[in-house]
Amino acid sequence: MRMKSISQITGGTITSPQGFQAGAVYAGIKKEETKLDLGILYSEVPAEASGVFTTSNIRAAAVTLCQERLKKYNKISTLVVNSGCANAYTGNQGMKDCEEMASLAGEAAGVSPEEVLVASTGVTGQLLPMSLIREGIKNIVLSPDGGRTLARAIMTTDTVPKEAGVYVKSSDGDYTIGGIAKGAGMIHPNMATMFCFLTTDARVESRFLKAALKKVVDISFNMISVDGDTSPSDTVVILANGMAGGNVISTGSAGARRFQKALNEICITLAKSLARDGEGATKLIEVAVNGARGTSQARIAAREVIGSTLIKTAVHGGDPNWGRVIMALGQSGIDVELERIDLSVGNVDILESGRPLPFNEASVVRALDQNEVPIHINLNMGRGTATAWGCDLSEEYVGINSEYMT
Amino acid sequence: MRMKSISQITGGTITSPQGFQAGAVYAGIKKEETKLDLGILYSEVPAEASGVFTTSNIRAAAVTLCQERLKKYNKISTLVVNSGCANAYTGNQGMKDCEEMASLAGEAAGVSPEEVLVASTGVTGQLLPMSLIREGIKNIVLSPDGGRTLARAIMTTDTVPKEAGVYVKSSDGDYTIGGIAKGAGMIHPNMATMFCFLTTDARVESRFLKAALKKVVDISFNMISVDGDTSPSDTVVILANGMAGGNVISTGSAGARRFQKALNEICITLAKSLARDGEGATKLIEVAVNGARGTSQARIAAREVIGSTLIKTAVHGGDPNWGRVIMALGQSGIDVELERIDLSVGNVDILESGRPLPFNEASVVRALDQNEVPIHINLNMGRGTATAWGCDLSEEYVGINSEYMT
């Protein structure tokens, strides 16, 4: 029997790779005492690190700190993260607090402060409650099973923690990749109020790690949409500590493609779980675009369809209003001709060459009523393909976001 | 006492200018028999005409017809319009039906078919019920008071008709401008499922009319947002029949600026009424941006803030979450520095130079609880200004759009 070269680990998480530990506590930043809100990820040896951050022109303090540190140092061994307060739009004091948070975490983990990254999510425009953080950080207990706990500590309006891990068999040596993520609101192409922290025990060369991370973010977290808004805190970070041994994976090396493939698998899994758990979401929508004039046009089309409020509500209500898909393609600005478009929802063909096929309305309603709603579009203009994920828009989304602060 | 040079006409509508007549019937295109769904606007003499249409790459048949006719002929005397069916994504048959509709209207009004424009709004992907239209069009009775009726016949999910008229006193001769509009859903920068039909009895030169219309659309209908979607049917048309006499108004003429000002006034009035009556809306939001680095950046900023789902829901719930405004400015891609931003909501100052001012939360909640919520932003980066209008996002919007077809 041939073993699969990349296999999902049941219960896989950010501490699945060797040499990573994590822990979290309730420090009091969130109102609800039953929730965790402060955690640390720790690598037993300094790890190659790379990050991708929000595209917003106004960034949270933690993003600025991460970007500066990753520019100066490649080796990171600790990440401290809190939920409940994003420390965004907080000026100089916010920056000072963020640096202190890194120092406190460095002390707790026994590493120098510049080996620490910070991530904060939650309400914007408020300073971190530093006294609570100073107190709370001392109580964090790191453990090799701590991934589950950390995944819960980064949740805001998420209803479930998002974790994944894959085990990779490779001629360069076997290794593991793990990750946790949070999302829920402000999820849109170009990331969102989202975190994804990834770890691997593979030996990965710094430049390749950076390129691989950029590539995977483009096809995973940059292809999901909940509500069209971009947060000032979006952060994807990967730490590679090399503790699995094996050959160094670098651009063009024997194992490079497999590493990218494994990374894609884990990030797409996490991205889909973010979309599925969007605020108020009841369904995962998957939009696959084929036949676009190039990949970039396929990406634009898939993102436009997944981002359309009218399509989100139609899917929510099980309304077979396929005209809204054509509307989204039309407004996307890509090269498109109605007479070439094939469209199907679930396994029901709706349009062929732009002409409505006779279909049973009940079967479309049934397809829209599933937990996963796949929308397939062939533009028949070229060879570009892309896939995007999102969720339906429900009355509950409005409820959640009408009263987030109050 | 000095008379105002531009005065709003109480009860002003599209038939307020001299020489325009209108009428409408229930033809059976909509399900509800209590509603009107087919109407005609008629000018007693052929009028200079100009139009601005959807930016979508896939257009409804009526838009194609209007664009072709306005390219060939400048003089238009009749507009036939229906609601209940957009005749969009309907291929060749849709185009034939649209042309027949123009011919039928031409017959009914006693003008040649090429002097007729067509506009259709409603469900996409379905052919027009031509037998109903053939029958219905015969029953339309034109009258100089018919504007009110026509305004009701173009409504879809609108809850109230939108009409306006202004009377202009000018050294070139006095004249009237009138207009009706419809909106409700798919309302977003770059127009929406929206119609605006304008009439004037001023004598306006063709090229100037075109330029004036383009200018006004940019600062009115292109600055409103309900849900971020663009329809294939968006149409703004103006007819100028010259029946008020007076001097010809042309680029640089004595009366040109006043005509533009009057046109701006009427279109901004109509645009605001569209935003206020967005699907499920309970409030009008006005975002005024000052101090941007140029007008184009001001426009982008105002549209980004008005288009943000998170801001719409925060205003809906009366949630004083000002961080979402900063988020929108940050993601807009314009030149912005947190340390320079002044922000106020209603008459409550929230931020000065990026720093939160001490404010009474209750007073912000009160400001958000008004029918009109003005948000003022000064970026302090330059001299660009722009204003955009939108509405809050309510649970009801989701309800309306979950079940539009079914």
Side-chain angles (χ1 to χ4, degrees):
Chain A
M1 200 186 94
R2 197 162 155 260
M3 287 279 285
K4 274 183 83 174
S5 57
I6 301 173
S7 46
Q8 300 250 356
I9 302 167
T10 315
T13 185
I14 194 162
T15 44
S16 297
Q18 294 169 57
F20 287 98
Q21 301 185 19
V25 293
Y26 172 70
I29 312 168
K30 285 179 182 164
K31 282 175 203 157
E32 310 88 334
E33 291 184 28
T34 53
K35 295 189 173 171
L36 301 167
D37 56 14
L38 184 64
I40 287 179
L41 170 72
Y42 167 70
S43 173
E44 292 165 15
V45 297
E48 292 292 341
S50 185
V52 176
F53 302 92
T54 180
T55 56
S56 176
N57 282 344
I58 304 179
R59 297 177 194 90
V63 169
T64 306
L65 179 136
C66 288
Q67 287 179 318
E68 284 173 2
R69 295 205 169 170
L70 288 173
K71 212 180 273 178
K72 277 197 230 162
Y73 325 103
N74 281 326
K75 300 277 188 175
I76 294 295
S77 57
T78 299
L79 170 79
V80 57
V81 54
N82 76 277
S83 54
C85 173
N87 190 15
Y89 319 142
T90 44
N92 289 340
Q93 187 58 47
M95 202 61 227
K96 274 183 205 154
D97 292 344
C98 182
E99 279 161 9
E100 185 187 345
M101 201 171 145
S103 301
L104 292 167
E107 263 170 60
V111 304
S112 73
E114 63 267 23
E115 281 179 40
V116 182
L117 298 182
V118 182
S120 297
T121 179
V123 177
T124 59
Q126 294 182 355
L127 290 169
L128 284 171
M130 286 307 295
S131 58
L132 296 175
I133 287 174
R134 283 181 208 115
E135 205 50 44
I137 227 161
K138 294 183 203 159
N139 301 325
I140 297 175
V141 178
L142 296 172
S143 104
D145 310 317
R148 310 221 83 80
T149 316
L150 191 63
R152 296 214 317 279
I154 62 175
M155 288 164 66
T156 51
T157 50
D158 305 70
T159 66
V160 289
K162 285 91 181 175
E163 305 167 83
V166 293
Y167 187 72
V168 186
K169 289 190 148 313
S170 155
S171 55
D172 295 328
D174 303 346
Y175 56 87
T176 301
I177 308 179
I180 59 174
K182 74 149 300 268
M186 287 200 208
I187 299 282
H188 194 56
N190 299 319
M191 314 222 304
T193 297
M194 63 139 295
F195 288 160
C196 173
F197 306 125
L198 299 156
T199 53
T200 180
D201 46 22
R203 290 182 67 199
V204 191
E205 183 261 340
S206 167
R207 231 167 10 153
F208 173 67
L209 188 68
K210 199 171 188 162
L213 187 67
K214 202 188 163 315
K215 206 176 259 182
V216 72
V217 166
D218 262 355
I219 61 165
S220 57
F221 304 112
N222 278 348
M223 294 305 281
I224 56 174
S225 176
V226 169
D227 59 12
D229 283 317
T230 305
S231 116
S233 308
D234 303 331
T235 298
V236 178
V237 162
I238 186 165
L239 302 181
N241 70 7
M243 284 185 74
N247 297 330
V248 173
I249 303 170
S250 62
T251 310
S253 76
R257 286 184 62 163
R258 187 161 298 171
F259 181 83
Q260 183 77 58
K261 205 174 157 206
L263 194 61
N264 293 355
E265 193 167 314
I266 204 164
C267 287
I268 287 175
T269 301
L270 289 170
K272 284 169 75 168
S273 67
L274 293 185
R276 190 192 305 272
D277 193 32
E279 284 172 346
T282 68
K283 298 168 192 176
L284 174 72
I285 310 176
E286 176 171 291
V287 176
V289 172
N290 290 297
R293 206 161 269 167
T295 306
S296 137
Q297 293 212 352
R299 287 171 59 84
I300 292 168
R303 287 161 59 144
E304 189 82 33
V305 173
I306 208 74
S308 160
T309 308
L310 285 170
I311 292 171
K312 286 169 188 293
T313 48
V315 170
H316 179 67
D319 187 356
N321 198 333
W322 57 264
R324 292 183 178 172
V325 175
I326 306 299
M327 170 212 69
L329 294 172
Q331 77 185 359
S332 70
I334 62 155
D335 298 328
V336 58
E337 290 171 20
L338 179 62
E339 297 68 28
R340 291 178 183 234
I341 298 173
D342 300 333
L343 171 69
S344 65
V345 174
N347 52 10
V348 187
D349 293 331
I350 308 272
L351 289 184
E352 195 179 82
S353 305
R355 279 189 306 276
L357 295 166
F359 63 84
N360 183 345
E361 190 168 304
S363 65
V364 182
V365 173
R366 208 156 40 236
L368 292 175
D369 204 34
Q370 305 300 306
N371 287 333
E372 301 201 2
V373 178
I375 300 175
H376 287 273
I377 298 158
N378 196 328
L379 299 173
N380 291 301
M381 300 289 285
R383 299 175 66 184
T385 67
T387 306
W389 299 272
C391 60
D392 54 334
L393 175 63
S394 70
E395 288 85 349
E396 209 194 321
Y397 172 89
V398 178
I400 292 169
N401 281 294
S402 299
E403 294 161 21
Y404 188 60
M405 259 182 84
T406 47
Chain B
M1 200 183 93
R2 195 162 157 261
M3 287 279 286
K4 273 183 83 171
S5 56
I6 301 172
S7 45
Q8 301 250 357
I9 302 167
T10 314
T13 184
I14 194 163
T15 44
S16 297
Q18 293 169 58
F20 288 98
Q21 300 184 19
V25 293
Y26 172 69
I29 311 167
K30 285 179 184 165
K31 282 174 203 159
E32 310 88 335
E33 292 184 29
T34 53
K35 295 189 172 171
L36 301 168
D37 56 15
L38 184 65
I40 288 179
L41 171 71
Y42 167 71
S43 173
E44 292 164 16
V45 297
E48 291 294 341
S50 185
V52 175
F53 302 92
T54 180
T55 57
S56 176
N57 282 344
I58 304 179
R59 296 176 193 90
V63 169
T64 305
L65 180 136
C66 288
Q67 287 179 317
E68 285 173 1
R69 293 201 172 172
L70 288 174
K71 211 178 275 180
K72 277 198 231 162
Y73 325 103
N74 281 324
K75 298 278 187 174
I76 295 294
S77 57
T78 299
L79 171 78
V80 57
V81 55
N82 76 277
S83 53
C85 173
N87 189 15
Y89 319 142
T90 45
N92 289 338
Q93 187 58 47
M95 202 62 226
K96 274 182 204 154
D97 292 345
C98 183
E99 279 160 10
E100 186 186 345
M101 202 170 143
S103 301
L104 292 167
E107 263 170 59
V111 302
S112 72
E114 62 268 22
E115 282 179 42
V116 183
L117 298 182
V118 183
S120 297
T121 179
V123 177
T124 58
Q126 295 183 356
L127 291 169
L128 284 171
M130 286 308 294
S131 58
L132 296 176
I133 287 174
R134 283 181 207 114
E135 206 51 45
I137 229 162
K138 295 182 204 158
N139 301 324
I140 296 174
V141 178
L142 296 172
S143 103
D145 309 317
R148 307 222 85 80
T149 316
L150 192 64
R152 295 215 318 278
I154 62 176
M155 288 164 66
T156 53
T157 49
D158 305 69
T159 66
V160 290
K162 285 92 182 173
E163 305 168 83
V166 293
Y167 187 72
V168 185
K169 291 190 146 317
S170 155
S171 54
D172 295 329
D174 302 346
Y175 57 88
T176 301
I177 309 179
I180 58 174
K182 73 150 298 267
M186 286 201 208
I187 299 282
H188 195 56
N190 298 320
M191 312 223 304
T193 299
M194 64 138 294
F195 288 160
C196 174
F197 307 125
L198 298 157
T199 53
T200 180
D201 46 22
R203 289 181 69 198
V204 190
E205 184 262 338
S206 168
R207 232 168 8 151
F208 172 67
L209 188 66
K210 199 171 188 161
L213 188 66
K214 202 188 162 314
K215 205 175 259 183
V216 71
V217 167
D218 263 355
I219 60 165
S220 57
F221 303 112
N222 279 347
M223 294 305 282
I224 56 174
S225 177
V226 170
D227 60 11
D229 282 317
T230 305
S231 116
S233 308
D234 303 330
T235 299
V236 178
V237 162
I238 186 165
L239 302 181
N241 70 7
M243 284 184 75
N247 297 331
V248 174
I249 304 170
S250 62
T251 310
S253 76
R257 286 184 63 162
R258 186 161 298 174
F259 181 82
Q260 183 76 57
K261 204 174 156 205
L263 194 60
N264 293 355
E265 192 168 315
I266 204 163
C267 287
I268 287 174
T269 301
L270 289 169
K272 285 170 75 169
S273 67
L274 294 185
R276 190 191 305 272
D277 193 31
E279 285 172 347
T282 67
K283 296 167 192 176
L284 175 71
I285 309 175
E286 176 171 290
V287 175
V289 172
N290 290 297
R293 205 162 269 168
T295 306
S296 138
Q297 294 213 353
R299 287 171 59 84
I300 292 168
R303 288 160 59 143
E304 190 82 32
V305 173
I306 208 75
S308 160
T309 308
L310 285 170
I311 291 171
K312 285 168 189 296
T313 48
V315 170
H316 178 65
D319 188 356
N321 197 333
W322 57 264
R324 292 182 179 173
V325 175
I326 307 298
M327 171 213 68
L329 294 171
Q331 78 185 358
S332 70
I334 62 154
D335 298 328
V336 58
E337 289 170 21
L338 179 61
E339 296 69 28
R340 290 178 185 234
I341 299 173
D342 300 333
L343 171 70
S344 66
V345 174
N347 53 9
V348 187
D349 292 332
I350 307 275
L351 289 184
E352 195 179 83
S353 306
R355 278 188 307 275
L357 295 165
F359 63 82
N360 182 345
E361 191 167 305
S363 64
V364 182
V365 172
R366 208 156 42 233
L368 293 173
D369 204 35
Q370 304 301 306
N371 288 333
E372 301 201 2
V373 178
I375 299 176
H376 287 273
I377 298 160
N378 196 328
L379 299 173
N380 291 302
M381 300 288 286
R383 300 177 64 183
T385 67
T387 306
W389 299 272
C391 58
D392 54 335
L393 174 63
S394 69
E395 289 86 348
E396 209 194 321
Y397 172 90
V398 178
I400 292 170
N401 281 294
S402 299
E403 295 161 20
Y404 188 60
M405 258 182 86
T406 48

